[in-house]
Amino acid sequence: MPKRARARSVTLLTAAVLVLSGNPAVAVSTPRVPQQPDAPPVVPAAGQLVATAEIFPEADTNLYTVQVARDGAPVEPGGFALDVQQVVDAALEDLQTLGSSPTDPLLVLNPYGTNTTGVYAQFETEDNGTLTYTVSSPGTEDFTRVAEDHDPSASSFEGQLIGVVPGVENTVTTTWRPDGGEATEFSFTMTAPPSAAGGLTTLDRTVEGNAEELTEGLFAVSGLLRHPDHTLFYDNSGVLRAEFTHDGYRTDRLEFYDGTVVTTVADNELARIDGLGRVVATYVLSGYEMHHDFDVTDDGKVVILATETAKDSVEDVVVSLDLQTGTSEKVVDFTELLADYKSGTQPYGPDALDDWLHLNSVDWSPDGDSVIVSSRETSAILKVDDVHGSPAIDYIIGQREVWAGTDAESLLLEKTGDFPDSGGQHSVVRHDDEGLAEGQYHLTMFDNRFWRIDSRPDYTGPAPAGTSPVFGADPSLRSEYRKYLVDENAGTYTLVETLPVPYSAIVSNVQDLGGPLLVNSGQAMTFAEYDAQREVVARFDYALEGPAENGFAYRVLKYGFGDFWFAAS
């Protein structure tokens, strides 16, 4: 039996039934409902969950799948229902008697329904060690990683093999190296299910520098307009290596907390998923719909951009969710903090949407329990202090004419230098870099250079030079990567770096990779990794067939997944 502890209901375990089917030679069944040797077969009670393990037919070894049914009707594990996840967990416990050694492992394809090509692997061992594996498929570079072992004991390995390419034949070769012992090798071949998102198995990659200089990790492409309920993970060759599924809402980002990844799965629900793919917790926000972004604080709270459904206005509050207690509360309401400014705005568009602020990114800092938020509608960056206490706006960065004559005008920082302000910026992130004086830090952003204030049709102030009202991806225009130096002591901000990038009026993001830079121009359907000298190393295009307006991606972020999917280097 496995050594790891699981939090689950005793009632659920005694009610769940595991049935194995497929190859009779391995169809070993361990019923969860006790019965006498001569008793009739167990018949599940009404509403009872039943897990069935079957042989995956497109493999040359005993690769299993797990299906869950309630009253005979299939239940999708990817629906994030915890009772379903727990029944899968119980089924894997029963199957683990089959993982006898590194050369005879238990293999299960996507048991928890969260990663369509992830392979759960478990086997008994005689000592601690490392599992290195390589995925080979036609027309792609080999994908080699060291798998993270999620079983803390020395007598068993348990992990998830990431990298199987959807829809094609893959050969997976594993090498187990016990500490102080001789390495053993195992190999199996499988034809993986097709991508659940469809297409985009391989991105068009253009290498302009040295591809070996690309940083380690996987590119997470989220918010594809035609596939909002999938997050696609690509390697440095542009090959799809993993695929998250959701309940109709994109992954705004991934945040790592206590051995799990925190992500959005529906517009009012977050989930925590561990490295095996198991959903360990879900959180529903009653009365709110999430949008655009969230961040996790040092003490396990999630600050979330949200719309309060009972209000007429949208995208103008911040909600805080406690990951330990599951409780949530509204902590910032900009209709109160900026009431004077809001009084001069009006709903717009065919739906008369009161989208007067349109917050699109949030970044939390322990410095005064503060957040930096980005407002697309006002092309402004705002800092709010004491978020979980008595929140107040500390400052605003933006075009002065937009705020002229309002109570907020006095909150504007002074610009030092001759440069135009941003237009419709996204993904504003604070960096407390070494070498800066106290009270100084950098802000990086994707400056869309898009300018339109639909909530103020009577606005007659100037637009920042170089901005455009063009909504879309115009190759004759340019957006920018921007980096500001903020000096709170002096009350100033300065442009210290800028880089022209493909134009995208909305969405998009930048990510500092510790020197190198990742830039996603969403509506242009392209992202690129730049080196520290801001030269393009490689560019990746993700355009889909059909009209261009159906193809943007909201964000592309790169993650290493060390101590999660892969052993930390």
Side-chain angles (χ1 to χ4, degrees), residues 152-215:
S153 74
S155 60
S156 179
F157 171 89
E158 187 179 31
Q160 184 179 184
L161 308 183
I162 300 298
V164 171
V165 182
V168 300
E169 185 177 274
N170 295 260
T171 297
V172 182
T173 302
T174 66
T175 302
W176 173 253
R177 291 182 175 86
D179 294 348
E182 185 176 345
T184 56
E185 189 173 286
F186 172 78
S187 181
F188 67 95
T189 298
M190 61 177 290
T191 298
S195 166
L200 289 179
T201 301
T202 303
L203 302 180
D204 290 334
R205 183 182 79 159
T206 303
V207 177
E208 299 184 22
N210 181 358
E212 294 183 358
E213 293 181 0
L214 290 168
T215 57

Coordinates of all heavy atoms in Angstrom, one line a residue, residues 152-215:
P152 N 7.3 10.1 -0.4 CA 8.4 10.4 0.4 C 9.2 9.2 0.9 O 10.3 9.3 1.4 CB 7.9 11.2 1.6 CG 6.4 10.7 1.7 CD 6.0 10.5 0.3
S153 N 8.6 8.0 0.8 CA 9.3 6.8 1.4 C 10.3 6.4 0.4 O 10.3 6.7 -0.8 CB 8.3 5.7 1.6 OG 7.8 5.2 0.4
A154 N 11.2 5.5 0.9 CA 12.3 5.0 0.0 C 11.8 3.7 -0.7 O 12.6 3.1 -1.5 CB 13.5 4.7 0.8
S155 N 10.6 3.2 -0.4 CA 10.1 1.9 -0.9 C 9.2 2.1 -2.1 O 8.7 1.0 -2.6 CB 9.5 1.1 0.2 OG 8.3 1.8 0.7
S156 N 8.9 3.3 -2.6 CA 8.0 3.4 -3.7 C 8.3 4.7 -4.4 O 8.7 5.7 -3.8 CB 6.6 3.4 -3.2 OG 5.7 3.6 -4.2
F157 N 8.1 4.7 -5.7 CA 8.1 5.9 -6.5 C 6.7 6.2 -7.0 O 6.0 5.3 -7.4 CB 9.0 5.8 -7.8 CG 9.0 6.9 -8.7 CD1 9.8 8.0 -8.6 CD2 8.0 6.9 -9.8 CE1 9.7 9.1 -9.5 CE2 7.9 8.0 -10.6 CZ 8.7 9.1 -10.5
E158 N 6.4 7.5 -7.0 CA 5.1 7.9 -7.5 C 5.2 9.3 -8.2 O 5.7 10.3 -7.5 CB 4.1 8.0 -6.4 CG 2.6 8.3 -6.8 CD 1.7 8.3 -5.6 OE1 2.1 8.7 -4.5 OE2 0.5 8.0 -5.8
G159 N 4.9 9.4 -9.4 CA 5.1 10.7 -10.1 C 4.2 10.7 -11.4 O 3.4 9.8 -11.7
Q160 N 4.3 11.8 -12.1 CA 3.5 12.0 -13.3 C 4.5 12.3 -14.5 O 5.4 13.2 -14.3 CB 2.5 13.2 -13.2 CG 1.7 13.3 -14.5 CD 0.7 14.5 -14.4 OE1 -0.1 14.7 -15.2 NE2 0.7 15.3 -13.3
L161 N 4.4 11.5 -15.5 CA 5.3 11.7 -16.7 C 4.7 12.7 -17.6 O 3.6 12.4 -18.2 CB 5.6 10.4 -17.4 CG 6.1 9.2 -16.5 CD1 6.4 8.0 -17.3 CD2 7.3 9.6 -15.7
I162 N 5.4 13.8 -17.8 CA 4.9 14.9 -18.7 C 5.7 14.9 -20.0 O 6.9 14.7 -20.0 CB 5.1 16.2 -18.0 CG1 4.3 16.3 -16.7 CG2 4.6 17.4 -18.9 CD1 2.8 16.1 -16.8
G163 N 5.0 15.1 -21.1 CA 5.7 15.2 -22.4 C 5.2 14.4 -23.5 O 5.6 14.6 -24.7
V164 N 4.2 13.6 -23.3 CA 3.6 12.8 -24.3 C 2.9 13.7 -25.3 O 2.1 14.5 -24.9 CB 2.6 11.7 -23.8 CG1 1.8 11.0 -24.9 CG2 3.4 10.7 -23.0
V165 N 3.1 13.5 -26.6 CA 2.6 14.4 -27.6 C 1.2 13.9 -28.1 O 1.1 12.7 -28.4 CB 3.5 14.5 -28.9 CG1 2.9 15.4 -29.9 CG2 4.9 14.9 -28.4
P166 N 0.2 14.7 -28.1 CA -1.2 14.2 -28.4 C -1.3 13.7 -29.9 O -0.7 14.3 -30.8 CB -2.1 15.4 -28.2 CG -1.3 16.4 -27.3 CD 0.1 16.1 -27.7
G167 N -2.1 12.7 -30.1 CA -2.5 12.2 -31.4 C -1.4 11.5 -32.2 O -1.7 11.2 -33.4
V168 N -0.3 11.2 -31.6 CA 0.8 10.5 -32.4 C 1.4 9.4 -31.5 O 1.1 9.3 -30.3 CB 1.9 11.5 -32.8 CG1 1.4 12.6 -33.7 CG2 2.6 12.1 -31.6
E169 N 2.2 8.6 -32.2 CA 2.9 7.5 -31.4 C 4.1 8.1 -30.6 O 4.9 8.9 -31.2 CB 3.4 6.5 -32.4 CG 4.0 5.3 -31.7 CD 4.4 4.2 -32.7 OE1 3.6 3.4 -33.1 OE2 5.6 4.2 -33.1
N170 N 4.1 7.7 -29.4 CA 5.2 8.1 -28.5 C 5.9 6.9 -27.9 O 5.2 6.0 -27.5 CB 4.6 9.0 -27.3 CG 4.0 10.3 -27.8 OD1 4.6 11.3 -27.7 ND2 2.8 10.2 -28.3
T171 N 7.2 7.0 -27.8 CA 7.9 6.0 -27.1 C 8.5 6.6 -25.8 O 9.2 7.6 -26.0 CB 9.0 5.3 -27.9 OG1 8.5 4.7 -29.1 CG2 9.9 4.3 -27.1
V172 N 8.2 6.1 -24.7 CA 8.7 6.6 -23.4 C 9.7 5.6 -22.8 O 9.3 4.5 -22.6 CB 7.5 6.8 -22.4 CG1 8.0 7.5 -21.1 CG2 6.4 7.7 -23.1
T173 N 10.9 6.1 -22.6 CA 11.9 5.3 -22.0 C 12.3 5.8 -20.7 O 12.7 7.0 -20.6 CB 13.2 5.3 -22.9 OG1 12.8 4.8 -24.2 CG2 14.2 4.3 -22.4
T174 N 12.2 5.0 -19.6 CA 12.5 5.4 -18.3 C 13.8 4.8 -17.8 O 14.1 3.6 -18.2 CB 11.4 5.1 -17.3 OG1 11.3 3.7 -17.2 CG2 10.0 5.7 -17.8
T175 N 14.6 5.5 -17.0 CA 15.8 4.9 -16.4 C 15.7 5.2 -14.9 O 15.7 6.4 -14.5 CB 17.0 5.6 -17.0 OG1 17.0 5.3 -18.4 CG2 18.3 5.0 -16.4
W176 N 15.6 4.2 -14.1 CA 15.6 4.3 -12.6 C 17.0 4.1 -12.1 O 17.7 3.1 -12.4 CB 14.7 3.3 -12.0 CG 14.8 3.3 -10.5 CD1 15.3 2.3 -9.7 CD2 14.2 4.3 -9.6 NE1 15.2 2.6 -8.4 CE2 14.6 3.8 -8.3 CE3 13.6 5.5 -9.8 CZ2 14.2 4.6 -7.2 CZ3 13.2 6.2 -8.7 CH2 13.5 5.8 -7.4
R177 N 17.5 5.1 -11.4 CA 18.9 5.1 -10.8 C 18.8 5.1 -9.3 O 18.7 6.2 -8.7 CB 19.7 6.2 -11.3 CG 20.1 6.2 -12.8 CD 21.0 7.3 -13.2 NE 21.4 7.2 -14.6 CZ 20.7 7.6 -15.7 NH1 19.5 8.2 -15.5 NH2 21.2 7.5 -16.9
P178 N 18.8 3.9 -8.7 CA 18.8 3.9 -7.2 C 20.1 4.5 -6.6 O 21.1 4.4 -7.2 CB 18.6 2.4 -6.9 CG 19.2 1.7 -8.1 CD 18.9 2.6 -9.3
D179 N 19.9 5.1 -5.5 CA 21.1 5.6 -4.8 C 22.1 4.5 -4.5 O 21.8 3.6 -3.8 CB 20.8 6.4 -3.5 CG 19.9 7.6 -3.8 OD1 19.9 8.0 -5.0 OD2 19.3 8.1 -2.8
G180 N 23.3 4.5 -5.2 CA 24.3 3.5 -4.9 C 24.0 2.2 -5.6 O 24.7 1.2 -5.3
G181 N 23.0 2.1 -6.5 CA 22.7 0.9 -7.2 C 22.9 1.0 -8.7 O 23.3 2.0 -9.2
E182 N 22.5 -0.1 -9.3 CA 22.6 -0.2 -10.8 C 21.3 0.3 -11.5 O 20.2 0.0 -11.0 CB 22.9 -1.6 -11.2 CG 23.2 -1.8 -12.7 CD 23.6 -3.2 -13.0 OE1 23.9 -4.0 -12.1 OE2 23.6 -3.5 -14.2
A183 N 21.5 1.1 -12.5 CA 20.3 1.7 -13.2 C 19.6 0.6 -14.0 O 20.2 -0.4 -14.5 CB 20.8 2.7 -14.2
T184 N 18.3 0.7 -14.1 CA 17.5 -0.2 -14.9 C 16.6 0.6 -15.8 O 16.2 1.7 -15.5 CB 16.6 -1.1 -14.0 OG1 15.8 -0.2 -13.1 CG2 17.4 -2.0 -13.1
E185 N 16.3 0.0 -17.0 CA 15.6 0.8 -18.0 C 14.3 0.0 -18.4 O 14.2 -1.2 -18.3 CB 16.5 0.9 -19.3 CG 15.9 1.8 -20.4 CD 16.9 2.0 -21.5 OE1 17.9 2.8 -21.3 OE2 16.7 1.4 -22.6
F186 N 13.3 0.8 -18.7 CA 12.0 0.3 -19.1 C 11.5 1.2 -20.3 O 11.7 2.4 -20.3 CB 11.0 0.3 -18.0 CG 9.6 0.0 -18.3 CD1 9.2 -1.3 -18.6 CD2 8.6 1.0 -18.5 CE1 7.9 -1.7 -18.9 CE2 7.3 0.7 -18.8 CZ 7.0 -0.7 -19.1
S187 N 10.8 0.6 -21.2 CA 10.3 1.4 -22.4 C 8.9 0.9 -22.7 O 8.6 -0.3 -22.6 CB 11.2 1.3 -23.5 OG 10.8 2.0 -24.6
F188 N 8.0 1.9 -23.1 CA 6.7 1.5 -23.7 C 6.4 2.5 -24.8 O 6.9 3.6 -24.8 CB 5.7 1.4 -22.6 CG 5.3 2.8 -22.0 CD1 4.3 3.5 -22.4 CD2 6.1 3.3 -20.9 CE1 3.9 4.8 -21.9 CE2 5.8 4.5 -20.3 CZ 4.7 5.2 -20.8
T189 N 5.5 2.0 -25.7 CA 5.0 2.8 -26.8 C 3.5 3.0 -26.7 O 2.8 2.0 -26.4 CB 5.5 2.2 -28.1 OG1 6.9 2.1 -28.2 CG2 4.9 3.0 -29.3
M190 N 3.1 4.2 -27.0 CA 1.6 4.4 -27.0 C 1.3 5.5 -28.0 O 2.1 6.3 -28.4 CB 1.2 5.0 -25.6 CG 1.9 6.3 -25.2 SD 1.3 7.0 -23.7 CE -0.4 7.5 -24.1
T191 N 0.1 5.3 -28.6 CA -0.4 6.4 -29.5 C -1.4 7.2 -28.6 O -2.4 6.7 -28.2 CB -1.2 5.8 -30.7 OG1 -0.2 5.1 -31.5 CG2 -1.8 6.9 -31.5
A192 N -1.0 8.4 -28.3 CA -1.8 9.2 -27.4 C -3.1 9.7 -28.0 O -3.3 9.8 -29.2 CB -0.9 10.5 -27.0
P193 N -4.1 10.0 -27.1 CA -5.3 10.6 -27.6 C -5.1 11.9 -28.3 O -4.1 12.6 -28.0 CB -6.2 10.8 -26.3 CG -5.5 9.9 -25.3 CD -4.1 9.8 -25.7
P194 N -5.9 12.3 -29.2 CA -5.7 13.6 -29.8 C -5.9 14.8 -28.8 O -6.5 14.6 -27.8 CB -6.8 13.7 -30.9 CG -7.8 12.7 -30.4 CD -7.1 11.7 -29.7
S195 N -5.3 15.9 -29.2 CA -5.5 17.1 -28.3 C -6.9 17.4 -28.1 O -7.7 17.5 -29.0 CB -4.8 18.3 -28.9 OG -5.1 19.5 -28.3
A196 N -7.3 17.6 -26.8 CA -8.7 18.0 -26.5 C -9.0 19.3 -27.0 O -10.2 19.6 -27.3 CB -8.9 17.9 -25.0
A197 N -8.0 20.2 -27.2 CA -8.3 21.5 -27.7 C -8.3 21.5 -29.2 O -8.9 22.5 -29.8 CB -7.2 22.5 -27.2
G198 N -7.8 20.5 -29.8 CA -7.8 20.4 -31.3 C -6.7 21.3 -31.9 O -6.5 22.5 -31.6
G199 N -5.9 20.7 -32.8 CA -4.9 21.4 -33.5 C -3.8 21.9 -32.6 O -3.7 21.6 -31.4
L200 N -2.9 22.8 -33.1 CA -1.8 23.4 -32.3 C -1.0 22.4 -31.6 O -0.5 22.7 -30.5 CB -2.4 24.4 -31.4 CG -3.0 25.7 -32.0 CD1 -3.5 26.6 -30.9 CD2 -1.9 26.5 -32.8
T201 N -0.8 21.2 -32.1 CA 0.1 20.3 -31.5 C 1.6 20.7 -31.6 O 2.4 20.5 -30.7 CB 0.0 18.9 -32.1 OG1 -1.4 18.4 -32.0 CG2 0.9 17.9 -31.5
T202 N 1.9 21.4 -32.7 CA 3.2 22.0 -32.9 C 3.1 23.5 -33.3 O 2.3 23.7 -34.3 CB 4.0 21.2 -33.9 OG1 4.1 19.8 -33.5 CG2 5.4 21.8 -34.0
L203 N 3.8 24.4 -32.7 CA 3.7 25.8 -33.1 C 4.8 26.0 -34.1 O 5.8 25.3 -34.2 CB 4.0 26.7 -31.9 CG 3.1 26.5 -30.7 CD1 3.6 27.5 -29.6 CD2 1.7 26.8 -31.1
D204 N 4.6 27.0 -35.0 CA 5.6 27.5 -35.9 C 6.7 28.2 -35.1 O 6.4 29.2 -34.5 CB 5.0 28.4 -37.0 CG 4.1 27.6 -37.9 OD1 4.3 26.4 -38.1 OD2 3.1 28.2 -38.5
R205 N 7.9 27.7 -35.2 CA 9.0 28.3 -34.4 C 10.0 28.9 -35.4 O 10.4 28.2 -36.4 CB 9.7 27.3 -33.5 CG 10.8 27.9 -32.7 CD 11.5 26.9 -31.8 NE 12.4 26.1 -32.5 CZ 13.4 25.4 -31.9 NH1 13.6 25.5 -30.6 NH2 14.3 24.7 -32.7
T206 N 10.4 30.1 -35.2 CA 11.5 30.7 -35.9 C 12.6 31.1 -35.0 O 12.5 31.9 -34.1 CB 11.0 32.0 -36.6 OG1 9.9 31.7 -37.5 CG2 12.1 32.6 -37.5
V207 N 13.8 30.4 -35.2 CA 14.9 30.7 -34.3 C 15.8 31.8 -35.0 O 16.2 31.7 -36.1 CB 15.8 29.4 -34.2 CG1 17.0 29.7 -33.4 CG2 14.9 28.3 -33.5
E208 N 16.0 32.8 -34.2 CA 16.8 34.0 -34.7 C 18.1 34.1 -33.9 O 19.0 34.8 -34.4 CB 16.0 35.3 -34.5 CG 14.7 35.3 -35.3 CD 14.0 36.6 -35.2 OE1 14.6 37.6 -34.9 OE2 12.8 36.6 -35.5
G209 N 18.3 33.3 -32.8 CA 19.5 33.3 -32.1 C 20.0 31.9 -31.9 O 19.8 31.1 -32.8
N210 N 20.5 31.6 -30.7 CA 20.9 30.2 -30.4 C 19.8 29.6 -29.5 O 19.6 30.0 -28.4 CB 22.2 30.3 -29.6 CG 22.7 28.9 -29.2 OD1 22.1 27.9 -29.5 ND2 23.9 28.9 -28.6
A211 N 19.1 28.6 -30.1 CA 18.0 27.9 -29.4 C 18.4 27.3 -28.1 O 17.6 27.2 -27.2 CB 17.4 26.9 -30.3
E212 N 19.7 27.0 -27.9 CA 20.1 26.4 -26.7 C 20.2 27.4 -25.5 O 20.3 27.1 -24.4 CB 21.5 25.8 -26.8 CG 21.6 24.6 -27.8 CD 23.0 24.0 -27.9 OE1 23.9 24.5 -27.2 OE2 23.1 23.0 -28.6
E213 N 20.0 28.7 -25.9 CA 20.0 29.8 -24.9 C 18.6 30.0 -24.3 O 18.4 30.8 -23.4 CB 20.5 31.1 -25.4 CG 22.0 31.0 -25.8 CD 22.6 32.3 -26.3 OE1 21.8 33.3 -26.4 OE2 23.8 32.4 -26.6
L214 N 17.6 29.3 -24.9 CA 16.2 29.5 -24.3 C 16.2 29.0 -22.9 O 16.8 27.9 -22.6 CB 15.2 28.7 -25.2 CG 14.9 29.2 -26.6 CD1 14.2 28.2 -27.4 CD2 14.1 30.5 -26.5
T215 N 15.5 29.6 -22.0 CA 15.5 29.3 -20.6 C 14.7 27.9 -20.5 O 13.8 27.6 -21.3 CB 14.8 30.3 -19.8 OG1 13.5 30.6 -20.3 CG2 15.6 31.6 -19.8

